Amino acid sequence: MMSYEINVALNGSHFFATHDRSINDTTKLIKVFKVMDEKFPASEGYELSVCYYPKYGYQTDGNTFRKLVTEKDIHGVYAFFENMRRYK
């Protein structure tokens, strides 16, 4: 699942941001951005920016993980999932 975050700066300094859980589809992003763009105008020193957070889950079966846990330390578990992320 993806999410978006809208950041608001005032006179070049961070003012506030939405939480990435708040906007989880593009239609809602556009709707919220239009409202915030109206409420926080550039003419008053506000600047809006948008961050996109793609989120992916990586799953393995219990037998593979059980073997990993008994044979590796915590770094091996991290490396296993990190490799899945890199090559997916």
Side-chain angles (χ1 to χ4, degrees):
M1 168 145 114
M2 67 183 161
S3 63
Y4 299 94
E5 177 184 278
I6 300 174
N7 294 284
V8 180
L10 176 58
N11 298 322
S13 295
H14 176 75
F15 189 58
F16 79 94
T18 63
H19 194 282
D20 61 344
R21 288 186 314 228
S22 301
I23 306 170
N24 54 20
D25 68 61
T26 309
T27 303
K28 188 172 184 181
L29 169 66
I30 293 167
K31 184 176 182 179
V32 173
F33 184 87
K34 286 180 178 180
V35 170
M36 291 180 74
D37 200 29
E38 182 181 314
K39 301 291 183 184
F40 301 99
S43 62
E44 294 180 21
Y46 294 100
E47 183 179 338
L48 303 180
S49 62
V50 178
C51 292
Y52 169 65
Y53 298 102
K55 294 182 183 178
Y56 303 97
Y58 302 98
Q59 182 175 347
T60 188
D61 63 272
N63 288 332
T64 301
F65 191 75
R66 190 175 297 110
K67 211 183 287 185
L68 183 67
V69 173
T70 57
E71 295 175 1
K72 308 259 183 183
D73 62 9
I74 191 168
H75 301 291
V77 172
Y78 173 78
F80 175 79
F81 283 108
E82 189 60 20
N83 283 334
M84 289 177 77
R85 184 188 70 77
R86 284 190 190 135
Y87 298 110
K88 191 159 188 172

